[in-house]
Amino acid sequence: MFLSRIAILEKDKCQPKKCNYACIEYCPGVRMEEDTIIISEDDKKPEISEELCSGCGICVNRCVFNAINIINLPEVLDDKPIHRYGPNSFELFGMPTIEDGSVVGLLGPNGIGKSTILNILSGQIIPNFGNYNEEGSWDNVIEYFKGSQLQNYFKKLSNNEIKIAYKPQMVDQLPKVVKGKVSQLLEGVDERNKLDEVVEKLELKNTLDRRLGNLSGGELQRIAIAASVLKDANFYYIDEPTSWLDVKQRLNTVEVIRDLTKENRNVLVIEHDLATLDAMSDYVHVMYGEEGGYGVVSKLRGVRVGINAYINGFLKEENIRIRKQPIEFEIRPPSDLIDSDTITTYTDFHKKYDNFELKVDAGEVNQSQVITAFGPNGIGKTTYAKILAGVVKPDSGEVEEEIEIAYKPQYILSDFEGSVQDFLFMHAKGYGTNVFKTDISKPFDLDKILDKQVSKLSGGELQRLATAVTLSQDADVYLLDEPTAFLDVEQRLKVAKAIKHLITRDDTSAIIIDHDIIFIDYISDKAMVFYGESGVSGHSTAPIHLRDAMNKFLSDVDISFRRDKETNRPRVNKTDSYLDRQQKEQGEYYYLED
C-alpha cells in the first residue's frame, strides 16, 4: 500500500529513559487506544505506525531530542519504494537509467540516497521494495524491473556476469586498506594496459615511488581514480572524484573518465562541482527529497537541461518544485565593485623552505568583501593562509599583526571527545544566542547534528561544524581553507550566503581558498591567483577583480569558460571548439560579454 507520509526516528538521538516516552504519552492516536506508537521489543525505542499516523506533528514537537520527523510525501510518488532500511527509516524511490557508453551523473543533496543507489547497483544491497521484514530476493528484483534495462543488469549482476569498478568517497581511508608504494597498487590493477597513459593524464609520475601513507588528500584522490579506471570493468561507479583537486586536475579527471565511454563502458558518477559534472556527464538524474528521510530519482535529462532544472529548482516533467527560489548567478563588471575601507594591508613577502618557496605581491583586504584564492595544488595557498593567520612567519616582508584573524585549516582533526553540542558550547562564540541560531546554526544545519559525536561525523558534517565555529569568532578577517570540501551544492550555496551576510553585517572580510569554480564565481568580490611550479615555487598576485584573476589563471592552464545563456552559470568550453578558440584569441578565458 502506498503511504502518503513516512515517519523517521533517528535512533542515535532517541533517549526514552530520559523523556519517559513523551511521544507516546502525547500522541492523539494512542490516547484513542490505537497502536499509533508502540515500544519496539528489540531496542525498547518507539516505533511509529505510518498507516495510523495522522500527521498531526505533536510527537515531533514533544520530542526534546529532535529524534522524530513526520514527512508528507509528494503526490507524484504513486509507486512502492525501491528500498527501505527498516521501520521509521530512510526510503528510496526510483533508480537511475543505465546508458551504454555514457557518463550518467547523480545530482542532489547529501543524505537522500545516492550511496544507497551505488550499494544496490554494486550488489551490496538487494532491494526489498519497502518490505524490510523480509530478506531481499534477486528473483523479486528481476521481476520488478521486467521490460527495462535494469532487468538485464540485475540478472547478470545476480549471476556474477558483470564486473564493477568502484571509486569510494573517503579516499583518505585508502592507506589503511592498501599498503606499499603507489606503483605496486596501480600495476596490480592495470587490467586495461593503460597505466602509462593514465599516470600521465592524472600527473602521478612523481608519486609512483612513494608510499600511500605519505601522500596528500589530492594525491590519494587521483590515485583512487586511476586505480578504478585501470580496471577492466563493465560499469564504473565514481563517488565524488574532485575533492582536494584543483581546477586543472578536475578537468584531467574528466578526460580520464570520458575516455571510458570511447570503449562503450558505462559510468555513473556522484559529483557536487557543477562545472565538473557538466563537463564530465552526458546525462544527469536530479535527486530530491529530505535528508535522512527519503530520496527520489528524477527522470533522465541531458546534462545541460538537468543542471539548469536543478539550479532553477523546478522539475518540469514531474511538476515538482525542489527549491523555493532559483540559484542566481550574476555577471558583475569591475565598475560594480563598491569601494570600502581597508581592514589590513601587507607588503611583498617571501617564505622559503628546503624544497619550496613562495612569493606574494603586496595587497590589501577591504571591509565587506570576499577574496578568493585559487591556483594549482602545491603552489603555496595554504602557506599564504598560515602566514596571514600568524601560524608561520615570513622570511621577509610584513603582515600586519594588529588585526584579529579566525582561521579554518584545510585538514580538520576530529579527535574531540564529545558531542557537537559540547564542541559548540566550548568553542563557538555566542552559542545559544538568537543571533547564533539565525546567522550560523540555521544555514549550517547544525541542529540536525547536535547530538552526534564529533568523532563520528561525516566529512561534510565536520566541514560545516568547523566553518561555522570559525565564523562565530570575533575577527576582522575570516580565513577559510577549502570550506566546500564534501559539501553538496545546496550546502555550498548556504555557506556562501552565510559568509556574505556575516561580513556585510559586521564590516569584516573573508579570504577563501577553494577550487569550485561555481562557488568562487558565486561568492567572490576579488580574487588572488597563485601560479608557478607545483611543489617547487609559487607566486601570488594581489587581490584583483575576479574576471581579471580568472583570465590569468585560465590562460595559464589553457582552459576557457562560457556563461550558460539560461542561468549565467560558468560552463567549461570543449578544447578547440569554436567558442574556445574565439575566447582565447580575444584573451577572454572566463567568458565573453554579450
Side-chain angles (χ1 to χ4, degrees):
M1 180 181 68
F2 170 71
L3 300 172
S4 60
R5 66 181 59 87
I6 59 175
I8 301 297
L9 176 70
E10 295 187 55
K11 293 190 176 184
D12 290 342
K13 294 183 178 180
C14 180
Q15 302 181 52
K17 290 183 179 180
K18 294 184 178 180
C19 72
N20 199 27
Y21 297 103
C23 54
I24 296 178
E25 180 181 353
Y26 290 99
C27 175
V30 174
R31 291 188 171 191
M32 294 172 63
E33 299 184 351
E34 295 178 347
D35 292 334
T36 309
I37 308 179
I38 62 174
I39 299 174
S40 171
E41 294 182 0
D42 295 331
D43 55 14
K44 304 303 179 184
K45 295 193 175 183
E47 187 172 311
I48 304 169
S49 169
E50 291 157 341
E51 290 86 353
L52 297 175
C53 176
S54 65
C56 66
I58 291 176
C59 60
V60 177
N61 296 323
R62 288 289 181 175
C63 180
V64 295
F65 301 108
N66 297 315
I68 299 174
N69 191 12
I70 307 297
I71 304 169
N72 292 316
L73 296 173
E75 294 179 3
V76 295
L77 298 181
D78 55 359
D79 207 347
K80 67 172 67 175
I82 297 299
H83 188 72
R84 189 164 194 181
Y85 285 96
N88 305 144
S89 300
F90 179 84
E91 208 165 21
L92 174 68
F93 293 87
M95 286 291 288
T97 301
I98 297 173
E99 291 288 331
D100 290 340
S102 299
V103 179
V104 175
L106 289 180
L107 173 59
N110 288 327
I112 60 167
K114 295 188 294 296
S115 294
T116 299
I117 287 172
L118 292 189
N119 286 332
I120 290 173
L121 290 174
S122 62
Q124 297 178 57
I125 291 177
I126 301 177
N128 58 27
F129 305 107
N131 299 320
Y132 46 80
N133 291 319
E134 300 178 8
E135 189 174 344
S137 161
W138 283 122
D139 290 337
N140 291 340
V141 173
I142 293 166
E143 178 63 27
Y144 180 86
F145 289 106
K146 189 175 181 178
S148 71
Q149 290 176 312
L150 285 173
Q151 180 190 25
N152 189 46
Y153 176 87
F154 285 119
K155 190 174 182 178
K156 289 183 177 180
L157 182 66
S158 64
N159 293 325
N160 295 317
E161 297 173 4
I162 286 177
K163 186 169 182 182
I164 291 168
Y166 175 57
K167 201 291 292 181
Q169 178 191 36
M170 305 300 286
V171 295
D172 54 329
Q173 302 298 314
L174 191 60
K176 298 179 181 179
V177 180
V178 182
K179 306 297 181 182
K181 293 183 178 180
V182 174
S183 57
Q184 294 172 321
L185 168 63
L186 297 184
E187 288 168 2
V189 297
D190 183 24
E191 299 168 348
R192 295 174 57 218
N193 296 318
K194 298 274 188 178
L195 179 60
D196 292 342
E197 180 182 331
V198 170
V199 164
E200 182 180 354
K201 287 184 177 180
L202 293 179
E203 300 175 350
L204 291 172
K205 189 174 181 180
N206 293 334
T207 69
L208 292 177
D209 292 328
R210 296 166 62 189
R211 304 187 73 82
L212 288 165
N214 299 327
L215 300 177
S216 68
E219 289 166 335
L220 286 172
Q221 182 72 272
R222 285 178 285 147
I223 288 163
I225 293 166
S228 300
V229 302
L230 285 172
K231 293 178 181 177
D232 184 17
N234 306 107
F235 294 87
Y236 296 81
Y237 299 128
I238 313 292
D239 196 348
E240 295 192 33
T242 65
S243 300
W244 292 314
L245 301 188
D246 63 44
V247 175
K248 180 65 174 175
Q249 291 168 344
R250 292 180 186 207
L251 295 179
N252 289 342
T253 298
V254 168
E255 184 179 353
V256 167
I257 291 175
R258 293 292 314 166
D259 283 346
L260 294 170
T261 64
K262 296 176 182 178
E263 300 175 8
N264 207 38
R265 300 173 190 267
N266 308 277
V267 184
L268 185 71
V269 62
I270 296 173
E271 181 52 57
H272 297 301
D273 179 342
L274 292 181
T276 302
L277 182 69
D278 190 3
M280 185 185 300
S281 305
D282 300 292
Y283 307 95
V284 296
H285 284 284
V286 175
M287 292 192 65
Y288 63 95
E290 188 159 332
E291 181 183 351
Y294 75 99
V296 184
V297 181
S298 77
K299 297 179 185 298
L300 188 69
R301 290 168 166 82
V303 63
R304 178 182 176 274
V305 173
I307 292 178
N308 284 354
Y310 182 80
I311 288 173
N312 289 326
F314 182 68
L315 305 179
K316 185 177 180 181
E317 289 80 0
E318 290 91 341
N319 195 27
I320 286 286
R321 183 162 292 283
I322 61 174
R323 192 184 308 103
K324 291 181 180 179
Q325 299 292 334
I327 300 167
E328 296 180 352
F329 295 91
E330 299 178 0
I331 301 176
R332 295 163 294 180
S335 59
D336 285 355
L337 197 60
I338 300 172
D339 291 332
S340 57
D341 293 338
T342 300
I343 292 178
T344 185
T345 61
Y346 52 85
T347 66
D348 293 348
F349 64 81
H350 170 256
K351 180 67 179 179
K352 184 174 177 59
Y353 295 97
D354 291 340
N355 300 315
F356 179 80
E357 67 174 333
L358 171 68
K359 296 179 180 179
V360 177
D361 293 345
E364 65 178 26
V365 180
N366 296 328
Q367 288 181 346
S368 304
Q369 288 186 1
V370 175
I371 300 169
T372 50
F374 48 84
N377 282 331
I379 210 77
K381 299 185 297 297
T382 297
T383 300
Y384 164 82
K386 289 180 177 179
I387 290 174
L388 211 61
V391 178
V392 173
K393 297 292 184 183
D395 296 330
S396 64
E398 294 183 1
V399 177
E400 186 178 334
E401 297 181 354
E402 297 294 322
I403 63 168
E404 291 292 329
I405 292 180
Y407 174 48
K408 185 201 80 70
Q410 178 183 15
Y411 297 107
I412 308 165
L413 298 178
S414 57
D415 56 357
F416 178 82
E417 294 295 333
S419 68
V420 170
Q421 191 166 24
D422 296 334
F423 188 86
L424 290 171
F425 182 78
M426 294 176 63
H427 298 286
K429 184 80 172 179
Y431 176 62
T433 64
N434 289 332
V435 173
F436 182 90
K437 291 177 182 177
T438 302
D439 293 349
I440 294 179
S441 185
K442 185 176 180 180
F444 285 87
D445 290 329
L446 297 183
D447 286 346
K448 295 180 180 179
I449 60 174
L450 285 178
D451 296 314
K452 287 189 175 183
Q453 295 296 300
V454 173
S455 59
K456 295 182 179 180
L457 294 179
S458 68
E461 290 169 338
L462 194 61
Q463 190 70 255
R464 280 153 46 200
L465 176 62
T467 304
V469 169
T470 304
L471 291 172
S472 75
Q473 307 304 311
D474 291 330
D476 301 299
V477 178
Y478 297 92
L479 190 50
L480 308 172
D481 199 344
E482 296 201 35
T484 67
F486 302 116
L487 301 188
D488 63 42
V489 177
E490 298 280 349
Q491 292 166 344
R492 293 178 188 199
L493 295 172
K494 284 183 180 179
V495 167
K497 288 180 179 179
I499 293 170
K500 293 286 282 187
H501 170 72
L502 289 168
I503 68 165
T504 303
R505 183 195 69 186
D506 299 332
D507 289 331
T508 56
S509 182
I511 299 175
I512 301 175
I513 298 169
D514 213 277
H515 296 298
D516 184 339
I517 292 291
I518 300 286
F519 176 82
I520 290 170
D521 181 78
Y522 190 84
I523 199 173
S524 299
D525 294 304
K526 289 183 177 180
M528 303 170 60
V529 185
F530 284 74
Y531 58 96
E533 186 178 353
S534 181
V536 178
S537 63
H539 195 149
S540 170
T541 68
I544 56 179
H545 188 266
L546 175 64
R547 188 173 175 195
D548 297 332
M550 276 294 186
N551 274 331
K552 173 170 179 50
F553 169 64
L554 294 175
S555 64
D556 288 343
V557 295
D558 198 33
I559 299 166
S560 69
F561 278 76
R562 67 189 184 279
R563 291 281 183 175
D564 181 79
K565 293 181 179 179
E566 181 183 345
T567 63
N568 283 334
R569 64 182 171 91
R571 300 187 69 195
V572 181
N573 287 324
K574 290 184 178 180
T575 302
D576 208 34
S577 65
Y578 171 77
L579 199 54
D580 181 57
R581 296 195 307 272
Q582 182 188 18
Q583 289 184 212
K584 288 176 179 177
E585 287 172 2
Q586 298 183 27
E588 294 288 357
Y589 286 74
Y590 196 32
Y591 60 86
L592 286 173
E593 292 281 12
D594 292 334

